[in-house]
Amino acid sequence: MLTWLRERVRLPRHLFDRRAARRDAAAGAVLGIESVPDGLASGLLAGVNPVAGLYGYLFGLAGGALFTGSAAMAIQGTGAMAIIVADVDLDAYEDPVRALATLTILTGVLMIAAGAFRLGRLLRFVSTSVMTGFISAVGISIVLGQLDNFTGYDSQGGNRVAAALDLLLHLRAVDLASLLVGLTTVAGILVLQRTRLGATGLVVAVVAGSALAAVLNAIGSDSVALVSDVADVPGSLPLPVFPDLSAALDLLLPAASLAFVGLVQGAGVSAGFPNQDGPARPSRDFIGQGAGNVVSGLFRGVPVGGSMSATSLVVSAGARNRFALLVAAGVMAVVIVLLGDVVEHVAMPALAGLLIVVGVGTIKPAKLLAVARTGPVPLTVMLTTLVLTLLMPLQYAVLVGVGLSVLLFVIGQSSRLVTRRLVLGDDHRVIETNPPARLGDREVVVLQPYGPIFFATASALRSQMPEVTPASRRSVVILRLRGADEAGATLLEVLRTYAAELADLDSRLVIVTDNERLVRQLESDGTLGTAGAVYQGSAVIWEATRRAYEDAVAWVAQDAEKTADQERPAVTGAHRDPHRGDWPPDQMAL
């Protein structure tokens, strides 16, 4: 057990490199400064104390840097995760701070479990259609959710869409001073990010917007909300808080949704950046993100995950090792302790403007068009996910999205099954044609299905096999299932029914497979009854199939001159197998 844990929770090799220390320190300082307004905005988006966003960014970075598999992965809040937290309604709990800590820690525990059991491979079942619709809806939700702070109007509505409609109906109630601060911040971000300042331009833009708010409030407007109006920045790092175990069960579903979204986004970070510690290991990244959440939760922070924007920023700034992430966390800690009074004067419309820019950037029209051009099914799934994510709490929308992904996968796999007829020639050539629509009299048909065989494709397989009619007497259908792992209950029932239809007309169903488990399953279940046979293949391709074909041809030829309504000829011999009907035992081979 200890060895198993050590293999999955090992400290990184490249934590500090003296030769790259300056570059790492500079890159970390850039990320740390940029993370201050970002963290406040994340807390605001999550519907909690904005300072909790700061704590999440700080402690998520520090806790995750020591355990992730990707050296440059920055563990911070993401828009999708913040929207999920906002839909949880933590204020309904007796102690919202402890409820947030419980949610964050529980998210981390689930992430660590996913990494320890290497569940990263399950993420491939989430389709691009679902993720595109989900991420696009998150971007729209971010924009709609910040219109109140951006305009200074307290809109009413059961969800973000309804609240936005209410705002449109009451445009005269918009606070012009707040709107001016928000527009100034947005314009500043869009302009300054194209200069040498790059990503740090958003910090300058938020500072400029907050300075404008201070001027407007000073000259008598006094209507622009500040961080100090909704929270106090204590000027010190927080003390640990322990989770509320009584709320753990209620928060399990949103925690699972947070873990899923965080891991999906983190997997994109793992694949998108070179790793100093070797090949990317998603399961190790899961553990690192989980550790970041546990530390963030203990210190009153919001749930966090692998952040594409933060990772891109620190890498483009020159980071080579995890030391840059620790420096970023240190810079944030200094800002909180020494500049807490300054942080309190950040304007809420400025933070809302920052989030609106982020939300708009999350929506990728090119990806939406790419999915739309794929076909009607992916388009329908994408639009369904998008609409549901906008109209229902995000933790439930995530589950619906996962369900749609699984459904889309099953539908896609079931439509990929194609059955072909194999015609074996005397010159050892095999000709592939379409199966006959109906099984004829004294006919031997060899069928080869291509594609996955499971419960969803069993009915498709049956529909592609020749129809059994009263004329299908004394015939043999050979089904070649090479490569199949096992037969589920649905497939066994299909084979059992088809074998019974053939047996009623003195015909046979023969299965050829190279899988011993499937052979045992067919024999023990009695699927083929007394009128079928199973041939087990070997390493020599076509050997078992040709043997089954030759036996079938010989069996049909035995009765070629008799009429179809004659009684079935008795089989004599001491070695007759009751499970093989009147098939000649000297020509059967398992």
Side-chain angles (χ1 to χ4, degrees):
M1 183 65 178
L2 291 177
T3 303
W4 182 79
L5 287 173
R6 280 197 298 268
E7 288 178 352
R8 288 160 174 77
V9 191
R10 289 180 294 181
L11 290 177
R13 292 177 293 169
H14 298 92
L15 183 61
F16 177 79
D17 184 352
R18 183 178 299 176
R19 295 171 296 180
R22 283 190 178 182
R23 297 180 63 182
D24 287 336
V30 170
L31 177 61
I33 294 172
E34 187 272 343
S35 295
V36 172
D38 250 6
L40 290 171
S42 180
L44 177 65
L45 181 61
V48 298
N49 187 331
V51 179
L54 278 180
Y55 294 157
Y57 273 50
L58 164 58
F59 293 102
L61 273 174
L66 299 177
F67 296 100
T68 55
S70 301
M73 178 180 282
I75 309 300
Q76 292 189 340
T78 69
M81 298 180 75
I83 291 291
I84 294 177
V85 176
D87 285 341
V88 175
D89 190 17
L90 294 173
D91 289 334
Y93 291 86
E94 182 178 351
D95 188 343
V97 173
R98 290 187 66 197
L100 175 62
T102 305
L103 178 62
T104 307
I105 293 173
L106 193 55
T107 300
V109 170
L110 293 176
M111 286 181 168
I112 292 173
F117 291 101
R118 297 178 177 174
L119 300 181
R121 59 184 180 272
L122 298 180
L123 296 181
R124 66 188 180 201
F125 291 102
V126 182
S127 69
T128 301
S129 304
V130 168
M131 283 308 301
T132 302
F134 176 74
I135 295 300
S136 299
V138 166
I140 297 172
S141 296
I142 291 174
V143 174
L144 298 182
Q146 293 308 305
L147 292 179
D148 282 12
N149 292 313
F150 193 75
T151 62
Y153 172 70
D154 185 15
S155 59
Q156 305 297 317
N159 53 52
R160 297 177 184 88
V161 176
L165 292 175
D166 179 65
L167 172 62
L168 290 176
L169 296 175
H170 299 84
L171 290 178
R172 292 185 178 181
V174 169
D175 180 65
L176 294 180
S178 297
L179 181 61
L180 179 60
V181 171
L183 291 174
T184 301
T185 304
V186 170
I189 293 173
L190 295 178
V191 172
L192 294 176
Q193 281 190 325
R194 298 177 181 272
T195 67
R196 290 185 178 182
L197 291 175
T200 55
L202 66 86
V203 178
V204 178
V206 170
V207 171
S210 300
L212 176 60
V215 172
L216 293 174
N217 286 339
I219 62 177
S221 172
D222 201 27
S223 60
V224 181
L226 306 178
V227 169
S228 59
D229 294 328
V230 296
D232 294 324
V233 181
S236 62
L237 296 180
L239 295 175
V241 61
F242 293 99
D244 181 4
L245 297 181
S246 63
L249 188 59
D250 291 339
L251 296 172
L252 184 60
L253 176 58
S257 299
L258 284 164
F260 175 78
V261 171
L263 296 180
V264 169
Q265 294 181 320
V269 178
S270 301
F273 295 90
N275 186 25
Q276 297 293 323
D277 288 349
R281 290 168 290 177
S283 294
R284 280 291 306 277
D285 288 334
F286 288 4
I287 293 175
Q289 292 175 80
N293 273 285
V294 170
V295 177
S296 173
L298 287 174
F299 289 94
R300 308 166 189 255
V302 297
V304 291
S307 171
M308 180 67 75
S309 59
T311 304
S312 177
L313 173 61
V314 75
V315 169
S316 62
R320 299 293 302 274
N321 296 290
R322 303 163 194 271
F323 179 61
L325 305 177
L326 297 177
V327 170
V331 169
M332 291 191 69
V334 170
V335 170
I336 292 172
V337 173
L338 300 182
L339 301 175
D341 292 340
V342 176
V343 172
E344 287 185 345
H345 288 85
V346 173
M348 298 292 282
L351 294 178
L354 167 60
L355 286 170
I356 287 174
V357 172
V358 171
V360 173
T362 301
I363 305 169
K364 307 294 184 183
K367 287 189 175 182
L368 293 170
L369 289 175
V371 173
R373 291 169 180 164
T374 303
V377 173
L379 174 61
T380 302
V381 170
M382 179 184 71
L383 293 178
T384 302
T385 305
L386 190 151
V387 172
L388 290 178
T389 303
L390 289 175
L391 298 180
M392 65 191 304
L394 208 62
Q395 61 266 32
Y396 301 113
V398 170
L399 295 181
V400 173
V402 173
L404 285 174
S405 290
V406 174
L407 181 61
L408 186 63
F409 172 78
V410 172
I411 293 174
Q413 292 296 307
S414 61
S415 63
R416 289 174 53 192
L417 184 74
V418 177
T419 304
R420 302 285 284 169
R421 179 180 184 176
L422 306 178
V423 180
L424 281 65
D426 295 335
D427 56 356
H428 295 283
R429 289 195 306 171
V430 178
I431 301 174
E432 194 175 83
T433 65
N434 292 323
R438 295 176 179 81
L439 184 65
D441 180 59
R442 295 184 176 87
E443 186 177 15
V444 178
V445 178
V446 181
L447 300 176
Q448 171 68 68
Y450 293 101
I453 299 178
F454 62 112
F455 69 91
T457 59
S459 58
L461 174 63
R462 175 62 185 87
S463 66
Q464 296 173 20
M465 297 173 72
E467 181 183 352
V468 179
T469 68
S472 307
R473 299 190 62 85
R474 204 68 179 178
S475 296
V476 180
V477 176
I478 301 174
L479 186 61
R480 190 171 183 264
L481 297 178
R482 189 175 182 88
D485 294 329
E486 61 177 334
T490 306
L491 177 60
L492 289 176
E493 182 59 30
V494 167
L495 296 178
R496 185 181 297 110
T497 303
Y498 194 71
E501 292 178 8
L502 290 171
D504 289 342
L505 296 170
D506 199 20
S507 294
R508 302 289 180 266
L509 175 63
V510 176
I511 305 296
V512 179
T513 179
D514 60 341
N515 190 288
E516 293 184 4
R517 181 179 179 181
L518 182 56
V519 171
R520 292 194 299 268
Q521 196 174 9
L522 291 170
E523 288 185 325
S524 62
D525 185 75
T527 298
L528 305 182
T530 60
V534 181
Y535 284 70
Q536 182 173 338
S538 63
V540 181
I541 300 177
W542 296 109
E543 182 182 53
T545 303
R546 285 193 175 277
R547 192 165 66 246
Y549 178 75
E550 292 169 359
D551 290 348
V553 171
W555 180 75
V556 170
Q558 286 180 355
D559 201 42
E561 297 179 356
K562 297 182 180 180
T563 59
D565 59 349
Q566 280 184 310
E567 295 183 358
R568 187 178 305 171
V571 176
T572 58
H575 302 288
R576 180 178 182 273
D577 188 336
H579 293 288
R580 299 174 186 168
D582 59 350
W583 199 285
D586 58 333
Q587 294 179 343
M588 278 300 300
L590 274 178

